[in-house]
Amino acid sequence: MRQDTIRLPGPAVAPDPGPGAVRPGDLTPELIATDWWSDDAVSRAGIPVVDVPFVSVGGGIGSFVTVDYLRICGVPTSAIRVLTQLESPWESYEYLTRVSQIPRGERLRSDSASCPDNIWGFPSYAVREALATRSPRSLWNVLVEPILADYYTPKAGQAFESMEREHDRIDYASTVVKGQVRMVRRRVGGGYFTILIPAEGTSPTRRVAYRSRYVHVAVGYPGLKFLPDLMEYRERHRDYGSVVNAYEPHEQIYQRLAAAPGTVLVRGGGIVASRVLQRLIDDRDARGLQTQILHVFRTFVTGAHGPHVWMRRRGGDGWAYQGFNYPKSVWGGQLKARVRKLEGQERAALYAQFGGTNTPIRRNWQEQLRRGRRERWYHAFQGEITGLTPGPSGTVHAALRTANGPQDVQVTAVIDCTGLEADIREHRVLADLLDHGGAGRNPLGRLDVERSFEVRGTRSEPGRMYASGSATNGGYFPGVDTFLGLQIAAQEIADDLEALGFCARLGPVRSTHQWWLWARGRKI
Amino acid sequence: MNASVDGRAVVLAGDGLVARLPGLLCVARCPEAEPLARLLTHCRAASGPEPGRTLARRLAGWLTGPDAPPDSLVFGTVSAAGGAVAVFLSGAVAARVGDVALSGAESAAWTDRLVPPGPVRLALDGVGPAPAAHAVLLDLREGVVAGGGVEVGAPAPASAPAPAREDPGAPVQSWPVDARPRTLNAQPTLIGMEPADAGTDPAVARTGAPQAGPVDVPTAPPGAVAAPGRDAGPGPSTAPAPGPGPATAPAPGPAPSPGPAGPGPAVALGKEPGGPPRARPAPRRTDAILGVAPDEPPRPPLEAGESAGTGTRSLSGGPSTAELSGPKPGEARGHLCSRGHLNDPRSHFCVLCGIRMNERTGVLVIGSRPPLGLLVFDDGATYTVDAEYLVGRMPESDERVRSGGLRSIVVEDRSGAVSRVHAEVRVDNWDVVLVDSGSRNGTFVASPGDPAWTPVPPGRSHRLEPGMRVRLGGRTFVFESPSGVR
């Protein structure tokens, strides 16, 4: 435990740092205020410097996929450092999927060929599943989808296990340095300084600077933002158990409904709402529960919708249906081509057109909800929650504004399956890039990147700074926050780095050879 | 201002509202009621012995958050913050504390400052002087009333060493720290400051103002304000050296400070070498002005997330008053999320707002601990683990429940296998632990997915993990936690 514990609020505040407040190895006011750092200023501050050509900040799946690509392009582990707080690249993703009711045994919403462990996408998850289970079922599925069957999607566990194998194969672990990145600043003379707060006890100083020619920022979602009404209810009534967001652990609600019959209010129309409903109904079926489900949509979709006949999305019963979170053509079709050419408001408008909350149409979900409507234990309606107050004996009183006027309901729990993504400024590294790194925002307000995923405005010749993942959503390539999007970003970055002479070209010979090594599980 | 020289709050007429709550004053105006109600909610939640910092962070978070009030809401608060006074102004509101005049109208966002204590005038712009008639009788102790401003003067110097008050009409010279008028840079503080760097220039923070120098001395040079993450450096402390000058002119004699004789709060805070022993620190002026009795009983735990605010520890330094102590009951050492909510250091996402927890430096902060989880019983009853519980057939037979040390959970069991006092659910830092209280038939636990029950040895504590089941006699409960820490 650090010695610099401070107390908030109350009479005792921070211990007086005394006149020598800036300890050696700490950021000096000079550094904090300067956009471009000289080697001299960093050494004057007493911050130790580690030289490495390529630094990736984040350490999630974005970093993993990029490092995987570079390793396949011949970059040794000694030339790469991944600065992260995560135990494994999939740790954060797995947590979010698990709590939002996609444990390892359940299926993700991702295409068969989007394999973060395999840059070629071959063999796809469906092929590998068919081989592992010795059953052609998944192959048949991908052949006839989406007409005769739902889209094939891999099980979460399959994705994590295959990533783990690739993680070991490319010796990812030896690139990882644990700690928290505080900022990335440009270096006078080219390249960047990345300030790391190392894990406790691993460094004599509080900060370590990584001096690199290239920096890759993949810090993922800045975070979720629970809606204000939810936060206010919890803050005011100190009840964290009855009003929950679906992206946080909320097993207690299923336990309570199993212990005693109750009504639950679900809000939202995305895939998480679908998964939560499935869990509620699965529990209902398996344990013979009498759970009543109220489902409130802010926008109640009653049918197919879209600007014209070639750009329509199916819908009904409140939901907007789409196989994946974007139309498939954003990854390789006409939408990808169109967005690549658009700038400013035009790009934002097209994003708005194909964006929006939606969920895949899955036959088992359809069956469950149809049964619920028929047996009158599932009620979906348009409305908004206007107030939440504690009700008698552990219930929650929810005031709703609906199409039929205000309504009050008494429920056991409220599961909020909506959520806003926080602004990129909420992430301190991104905020620092905006303030001191020269980075800007794209038409959607996220980090503005070039077609090569270089962060626009941050160049420090001959260095480059790249970014991928959710923080760059809104750029020339849509779908960046998906497995395939991360791989496409990694490909663009590797191409750019190859032109700069940092890695080898992935031509037909190298690609075939590397695929062969991958298929045989040979370490590189 | 002479209407309120004795610590009474005098409300000035106006079309807004005035609130006086423990530790703070608030003046606000808005055509709609809802933003006012929310403002008061924030004030009430923060009010207490030292609401200044908490309130400032709450308000800053509110103003920048998704539920930010409309621009038509103008408001100002003045609240106690250690030995200083925190002023927060948004819109056309002016505050005057001692000799420091601040205006919210001059800021693009808001004005947020710590200033030395002194008589307070907080008023919406355009509000007139205090009523002349019966002024001596006016006295708002606590509550919310209609008005446009409020004046609170110096406290009645009951315990002070005989302040001379022969001339009640004279301008109040309550704190002879720095009687000269000064202007401050009334600009929104834009500093993202790390918690460890909370200390600031001691000269400014403790003695209220530089003792000499040019007349218009900003408390901090503009450069220091603009610098993000201001690690305290050789900043303003070197600038104004104490020396002879008009600042020393007011004699320290008539100081009505209840503290020991001496110039200003530096002595009251017990930092002056050679001062009297500080066995009992004297009540602060801010306490007297802002209505906090020094011996106020401890209030119930703060609501979760109140221990801090938006996370930008932007208030200038802050008087370091007391020695560091460990967490009190209901408190814990944790990490703040970027929005200032206290969390288990092991959690990845904020338990209150959902933001990632990798936003901040790993400095541990002591604050009010949010609830650690829920006990879900097999009959559907749930108990929030924000207190410690004694579980059993007749837990109230135990002295610890009768004295209020533990809350009771009465478990009825037809099998008769539950003891009167069966088991305790205790809180150990960020962990919830189960202790068997020497029950006759034992207490058992089972990890999630594990069908086997494991006995908990009497008197030994057993950490509860999320999803863990607990059995007492024929009854069971499950522990679930919102933090995701396993």
Side-chain angles (χ1 to χ4, degrees):
Chain A
M1 195 168 280
R2 286 187 193 274
Q3 290 305 301
D4 45 3
T5 301
I6 61 172
R7 171 183 280 277
L8 284 179
V13 292
D16 190 352
V22 181
R23 289 170 280 178
D26 221 338
L27 291 168
T28 58
E30 177 198 359
L31 287 177
I32 287 168
T34 325
D35 290 357
W36 293 79
W37 290 359
S38 64
D39 292 351
D40 183 46
V42 176
S43 76
R44 260 205 315 277
I47 301 176
V49 174
V50 179
D51 280 305
V52 64
F54 184 93
V55 162
S56 182
V57 178
I61 297 177
S63 289
F64 175 72
V65 167
T66 308
V67 170
D68 190 30
Y69 221 105
L70 293 177
R71 294 281 292 119
I72 288 168
C73 291
V75 180
T77 53
S78 60
I80 302 173
R81 283 294 171 270
V82 177
L83 311 182
T84 181
Q85 290 184 298
L86 301 176
E87 294 296 326
S88 68
W90 51 90
E91 182 186 4
S92 190
Y93 182 77
E94 183 173 8
Y95 169 81
L96 287 173
T97 50
R98 177 167 54 81
V99 298
S100 63
Q101 304 304 312
I102 310 181
R104 285 196 167 214
E106 290 288 337
R107 292 191 183 273
L108 298 168
R109 187 194 197 184
S110 185
D111 194 25
S112 171
S114 309
C115 317
D117 66 307
N118 176 341
I119 66 167
W120 301 273
F122 175 80
S124 68
Y125 283 128
V127 173
R128 287 188 256 169
E129 186 175 330
L131 291 173
T133 58
R134 295 171 190 276
S135 150
R137 202 172 148 197
S138 58
L139 293 177
W140 174 250
N141 196 137
V142 289
L143 184 71
V144 300
E145 74 182 20
I147 309 299
L148 298 182
D150 298 336
Y151 275 114
Y152 169 84
T153 58
K155 287 186 175 169
Q158 190 186 0
F160 301 137
E161 282 156 23
S162 61
M163 261 191 275
E164 192 168 351
R165 272 196 300 277
E166 182 69 355
H167 174 276
D168 295 343
R169 191 181 78 87
I170 63 170
D171 195 14
Y172 183 84
S174 65
T175 67
V176 171
V177 179
K178 293 293 287 294
Q180 185 185 26
V181 172
R182 170 80 169 75
M183 56 177 64
V184 183
R185 293 281 172 96
R186 288 165 290 179
R187 171 176 170 268
V188 176
Y192 304 88
F193 283 108
T194 305
I195 292 291
L196 180 81
I197 301 161
E200 280 184 54
T202 58
S203 165
T205 53
R206 286 182 71 204
R207 328 266 182 193
V208 175
Y210 279 78
R211 182 167 51 194
S212 64
R213 180 174 284 199
Y214 308 109
V215 170
H216 171 237
V217 178
V219 292
Y221 285 93
L224 291 166
K225 193 147 89 175
F226 295 168
L227 293 182
D229 51 357
L230 180 145
M231 278 171 59
E232 189 184 328
Y233 175 87
R234 303 210 298 200
E235 233 182 321
R236 183 177 294 175
H237 305 295
R238 238 177 136 70
D239 174 4
Y240 286 54
S242 318
V243 177
V244 299
N245 186 283
Y247 274 115
E248 63 181 334
H250 57 278
E251 189 64 27
Q252 73 273 6
I253 291 177
Y254 307 112
Q255 299 287 348
R256 279 176 69 188
L257 292 169
T263 305
V264 61
L265 177 63
V266 176
R267 169 163 74 176
I271 182 162
V272 178
S274 293
R275 277 291 321 164
V276 164
L277 290 174
Q278 185 193 346
R279 169 74 196 268
L280 288 167
I281 299 171
D282 283 352
D283 278 8
R284 202 177 192 282
D285 294 345
R287 300 162 123 177
L289 308 183
Q290 294 302 312
T291 310
Q292 290 280 323
I293 302 166
L294 305 176
H295 186 186
V296 56
F297 289 91
R298 195 178 55 193
T299 310
F300 195 89
V301 180
T302 52
H305 52 286
H308 54 78
V309 69
W310 299 114
M311 206 169 176
R312 285 181 85 69
R313 185 188 273 152
R314 293 171 70 189
D317 302 318
W319 306 90
Y321 295 119
Q322 189 166 283
F324 301 98
N325 46 355
Y326 295 100
K328 271 198 136 184
S329 65
V330 307
W331 288 281
Q334 50 97 7
L335 275 175
K336 180 183 180 185
R338 274 179 70 191
V339 175
R340 203 170 171 85
K341 288 188 222 124
L342 292 180
E343 295 288 347
Q345 270 313 305
E346 283 184 337
R347 202 194 312 159
L350 186 58
Y351 265 91
Q353 241 173 50
F354 64 69
T357 309
N358 58 68
T359 194
I361 185 160
R362 290 189 185 166
R363 284 166 170 77
N364 59 334
W365 293 351
Q366 296 285 318
E367 182 280 321
Q368 285 185 328
L369 297 186
R370 246 194 326 269
R371 187 153 47 86
R373 279 189 288 271
R374 197 175 57 239
E375 296 172 8
R376 296 182 173 277
W377 43 259
Y378 170 71
H379 311 272
F381 52 94
Q382 190 277 327
E384 281 184 60
I385 297 176
T386 53
L388 294 170
T389 43
S393 57
T395 58
V396 179
H397 182 91
L400 296 158
R401 183 168 52 223
T402 71
N404 303 324
Q407 276 191 13
D408 290 333
V409 291
Q410 199 94 356
V411 294
T412 309
V414 178
I415 306 178
D416 182 16
C417 305
T418 64
L420 308 164
E421 277 179 45
D423 185 80
I424 56 168
R425 193 169 271 285
E426 299 239 18
H427 199 290
R428 67 187 313 181
V429 173
L430 301 181
D432 196 75
L433 282 180
L434 291 175
D435 294 338
H436 297 283
R441 292 176 183 262
N442 66 25
L444 262 63
R446 305 286 179 91
L447 208 58
D448 195 16
V449 293
E450 304 274 4
R451 290 176 181 84
S452 63
F453 285 86
E454 181 184 351
V455 184
R456 188 174 282 165
T458 60
R459 188 173 288 190
S460 172
E461 288 286 2
R464 298 280 188 282
M465 188 189 300
Y466 303 95
S468 56
S470 160
T472 65
N473 191 26
Y476 296 103
F477 169 73
V480 285
D481 52 347
T482 63
F483 285 166
L484 192 54
L486 291 173
Q487 286 187 302
I488 289 171
Q491 192 171 24
E492 298 280 0
I493 293 167
D495 282 355
D496 207 45
L497 288 171
E498 184 248 311
L500 294 165
F502 177 62
C503 61
R505 199 171 89 82
L506 195 63
V509 175
R510 172 174 280 274
S511 184
T512 310
H513 174 63
Q514 287 290 333
W515 182 85
W516 186 242
L517 293 177
W518 179 90
R520 297 175 62 200
R522 295 285 288 274
K523 287 192 187 255
I524 55 171
Chain B
M1 202 148 3
N2 55 356
S4 53
V5 287
D6 54 358
R8 292 174 299 110
V10 175
V11 176
L12 315 179
D15 58 350
L17 61 80
V18 173
R20 188 180 196 191
L21 299 167
L24 68 90
L25 296 165
C26 175
V27 170
R29 174 165 58 194
C30 185
E32 295 113 41
E34 199 267 335
L36 291 171
R38 292 188 73 115
L39 172 67
L40 290 175
T41 306
H42 285 296
C43 290
R44 287 204 176 92
S47 68
E50 298 216 3
R53 290 154 193 281
T54 310
L55 181 64
R57 293 188 191 102
R58 274 187 84 102
L59 293 174
W62 182 45
L63 291 176
T64 54
D67 55 339
D71 288 341
S72 55
L73 174 72
V74 298
F75 70 89
T77 65
V78 173
S79 46
V85 171
V87 180
F88 194 103
L89 307 173
S90 172
V93 186
R96 187 178 179 82
V97 181
D99 298 307
V100 180
L102 296 167
S103 168
E106 294 164 14
S107 300
W110 63 78
T111 299
D112 170 5
R113 299 302 296 253
L114 276 188
V115 298
V120 175
R121 183 182 198 272
L122 175 66
L124 301 167
D125 285 2
V127 167
H134 318 303
V136 76
L137 300 176
L138 300 176
D139 184 10
L140 175 65
R141 288 279 152 177
E142 184 167 348
V144 184
V145 296
V150 60
E151 280 185 7
V152 184
S159 60
R165 288 183 62 214
E166 292 88 8
D167 182 8
V172 179
Q173 293 284 333
S174 306
W175 327 121
V177 180
D178 181 5
R180 291 163 295 116
R182 288 177 294 131
T183 55
L184 291 180
N185 289 343
Q187 57 181 306
T189 321
L190 299 171
I191 307 164
M193 187 169 158
E194 293 179 21
D197 304 324
T200 185
D201 173 24
V204 174
R206 295 205 196 93
T207 60
Q211 294 290 307
V215 172
D216 289 338
V217 184
T219 50
V225 173
R230 48 192 290 260
D231 293 22
S237 59
T238 56
T248 54
S257 163
V267 172
L269 295 171
K271 291 277 182 183
E272 194 82 349
R278 14 171 219 154
R280 255 187 90 77
R284 294 198 192 93
R285 289 177 195 155
T286 50
D287 296 343
I289 295 172
L290 292 162
V292 184
D295 54 351
E296 182 186 310
R299 67 197 184 105
L302 290 168
E303 292 178 25
E306 285 187 0
S307 48
T310 56
T312 51
R313 287 178 50 72
S314 56
L315 292 171
S316 57
S320 170
T321 54
E323 62 278 48
L324 196 67
S325 58
K328 291 183 284 205
E331 289 187 334
R333 278 194 179 87
H335 284 165
L336 293 178
C337 81
S338 62
R339 300 178 184 129
H341 306 127
L342 192 74
N343 275 273
D344 187 334
R346 297 165 295 185
S347 58
H348 292 296
F349 294 87
C350 173
V351 74
L352 184 72
C353 69
I355 195 85
R356 263 182 212 276
M357 284 301 296
N358 57 5
E359 306 295 306
R360 298 181 60 96
T361 320
V363 174
L364 290 163
V365 170
I366 296 176
S368 171
R369 178 174 38 215
L372 293 183
L374 283 172
L375 311 176
V376 185
F377 276 76
D378 50 7
D379 59 357
T382 57
Y383 299 87
T384 303
V385 187
D386 55 354
E388 298 189 309
Y389 290 99
L390 189 56
V391 191
R393 201 160 30 86
M394 290 176 63
E396 61 279 8
S397 64
D398 191 279
E399 172 55 30
R400 289 168 298 174
V401 170
R402 284 201 302 271
S403 67
L406 295 175
R407 282 195 216 159
S408 64
I409 297 178
V410 179
V411 174
E412 289 174 8
D413 180 22
R414 293 209 182 108
S415 71
V418 174
S419 300
R420 296 195 328 164
V421 173
H422 198 110
E424 294 156 39
V425 175
R426 312 293 298 243
V427 174
D428 176 16
N429 201 16
W430 289 95
D431 287 335
V432 178
V433 296
L434 181 75
V435 183
D436 182 87
S437 320
S439 65
R440 183 187 297 241
N441 295 303
T443 306
F444 300 84
V445 292
S447 295
D450 184 0
W453 293 100
T454 312
V456 177
R460 294 259 292 279
S461 59
H462 190 282
R463 178 174 173 251
L464 292 179
E465 291 167 26
M468 197 173 251
R469 290 163 294 148
V470 177
R471 201 182 86 200
L472 330 115
R475 298 291 306 274
T476 61
F477 68 84
V478 183
F479 171 70
E480 295 292 351
S481 163
S483 79
V485 172
R486 289 183 174 262

